[in-house]
Amino acid sequence: MINSKNKNDIILVVTVILLALIALIFFWFFTDEGSYVVISIDGAEVSRYPLNENFKTDIVSQDGKVNTLVIDSGKAYISYAECPDKICVAHRKISREGETIVCLPHKLVIGIDDK
Amino acid sequence: MGKAKASVAKIGILTALALVLSYVEILIPPIITIVPGIKMGLPNIVIVTVLYCFGVKFAFLISIVRVILVSLLFGNTITFFYSAAGAFLSLLVMYLLKRLDKFSCVGVSVAGGVTHNLGQIIVAVLLLKTIEIGYYMIILSITGTIAGVLVGLASAYLAKRIKKIDL
C-alpha cells in the first residue's frame, strides 16, 4: 500500500542518507592524516603530542580519574579508562584531522590537528 | 485519527516498559565500533506508539520520567543532559511532523531517530566546546535513519492493534 505519505517517507530516508554520504565524501576528500594529538579537558587544550612518535601517557581528569592515551604507528587511541561506560576504550584508533575520541564522563576529548 | 483512552495504569505500564527497554539497550554490547555508544532506540518504540495512540502529552510524560529515572539509576548528571536533549528534541520534531501529516509513522520515526542523535551531539559539542564532535553526525544520521525505520515499523504495528482493541 504505497500512498503519498510513504513516498514522502522514502524521500526523507534517501535524502538523509545521501546527505550523510556526501558529507562523508567531503570529509575524506578535504582532510588528511593529522600531525598532532590534542588533548582537551572541559574544552581547554591541555597538551599536544606528535602523531609520529610512539607514546603512552596517563591523562588525569578533573575528578582524578585516569584515561590512558596511546600513540602507536601513527594512530591514537585510549587503552584504559576509569569511566563507567568505557566507550572511549572501545573506539577505533584515530589519525585523521577532525577525528575525535570522547570520554564524556571525564569531559575528555582526544583530537587530531595538523599543527 | 482516533486516540485510545489513557489511564494511570496504562501509562504506568508503558513507562515501565520504556525503562526496561532502556536498560536492555545498555546491556547489549556495542555492535558497531565506528562510534561506540550507538544505540538502537528501543525505548522509542514506546514513545512513538504512545505519540500515535495517546497523544504528545503522554509521550512527553513518559519521556521525562524515563530520562530522569535512567540517568538516576544508570548514569550521572551528564547523562541526564545528554539524554534529555536527545529525547526532547526528537519528540518535538516528531510531534511537528506528525501534525504536518505528510509522513507516515515510519517517516516521523526516522526524523525522530536522527534528531535524537543530533540533540545528543549538540549537547556534547556545547559541553566539551569541541566542534569536531559534530563529525559523528555523519554516521549517526545513517544509524538514526535505520533505527528510525525499524522503530517506526514496530510502532505502527503496535499502534494499529492498540487502537483496534480500544485498550
Side-chain angles (χ1 to χ4, degrees), chain B residues 19-54:
Chain B
L19 256 163
V20 169
L21 288 173
S22 294
Y23 180 58
V24 165
E25 250 190 2
I26 294 175
L27 288 182
I28 298 177
I31 311 175
I32 308 176
T33 45
I34 310 176
V35 176
I38 290 180
K39 295 285 174 220
M40 289 177 291
L42 289 178
N44 292 322
I45 300 179
V46 174
I47 303 297
V48 176
T49 307
V50 169
L51 176 64
Y52 273 85
C53 285
F54 301 105

Side-chain angles (χ1 to χ4, degrees), chain A residues 33-51:
Chain A
E33 302 280 308
S35 319
Y36 282 92
V37 178
V38 183
I39 301 176
S40 309
I41 296 184
D42 204 9
E45 177 173 331
V46 157
S47 42
R48 188 176 276 254
Y49 303 104
L51 197 51

Side-chain angles (χ1 to χ4, degrees), chain B residues 100-160:
Chain B
L100 199 60
D101 207 30
K102 291 260 189 289
F103 297 92
S104 81
C105 183
V106 175
V108 166
S109 173
V110 163
V114 175
T115 44
H116 197 116
N117 289 336
L118 183 64
Q120 295 182 320
I121 291 294
I122 290 177
V123 165
V125 167
L126 288 175
L127 272 182
L128 299 175
K129 304 162 191 114
T130 311
I131 190 77
E132 283 84 4
I133 297 179
Y135 278 125
Y136 282 128
M137 271 317 290
I138 296 179
I139 181 71
L140 288 180
S141 321
I142 301 182
T143 58
T145 304
I146 299 175
V149 169
L150 298 174
V151 166
L153 291 173
S155 301
Y157 180 89
L158 286 172
K160 250 183 273 185

Side-chain angles (χ1 to χ4, degrees), chain A residues 41-85:
Chain A
I41 296 184
D42 204 9
E45 177 173 331
V46 157
S47 42
R48 188 176 276 254
Y49 303 104
L51 197 51
N52 49 21
E53 287 170 21
N54 287 1
F55 186 65
K56 183 173 179 178
T57 184
D58 285 344
I59 307 167
V60 185
S61 310
Q62 288 168 340
D63 46 358
K65 296 282 171 66
V66 170
N67 296 71
T68 304
L69 164 72
V70 175
I71 304 178
D72 183 24
S73 312
K75 292 188 194 280
Y77 61 97
I78 295 184
S79 60
Y80 165 79
E82 292 169 354
C83 54
D85 49 45

Side-chain angles (χ1 to χ4, degrees), chain A residues 4-6 8-9 12-13 16-17 20-21 23-24 27 31 42-43 87 90-92 98 100-102 104-105 107-109, chain B residues 33-34 36-37 76 78 82 101-104 106-107 110-111 114 124 127-130 132-133 135-136 138 141-142 145 149:
Chain A
S4 69
K5 280 193 190 171
N6 289 336
N8 288 338
D9 291 344
L12 176 64
V13 169
V16 171
I17 298 201
L21 290 177
L24 183 62
F27 176 74
T31 66
D42 204 9
I87 289 179
H91 204 291
R92 68 203 281 260
T100 52
I101 299 180
V102 175
L104 212 52
K107 299 204 188 162
L108 171 70
V109 178
Chain B
T33 45
I34 310 176
N76 47 52
I78 296 185
Y82 200 55
D101 207 30
K102 291 260 189 289
F103 297 92
S104 81
V106 175
V110 163
V114 175
L127 272 182
L128 299 175
K129 304 162 191 114
T130 311
E132 283 84 4
I133 297 179
Y135 278 125
Y136 282 128
I138 296 179
S141 321
I142 301 182
T145 304
V149 169

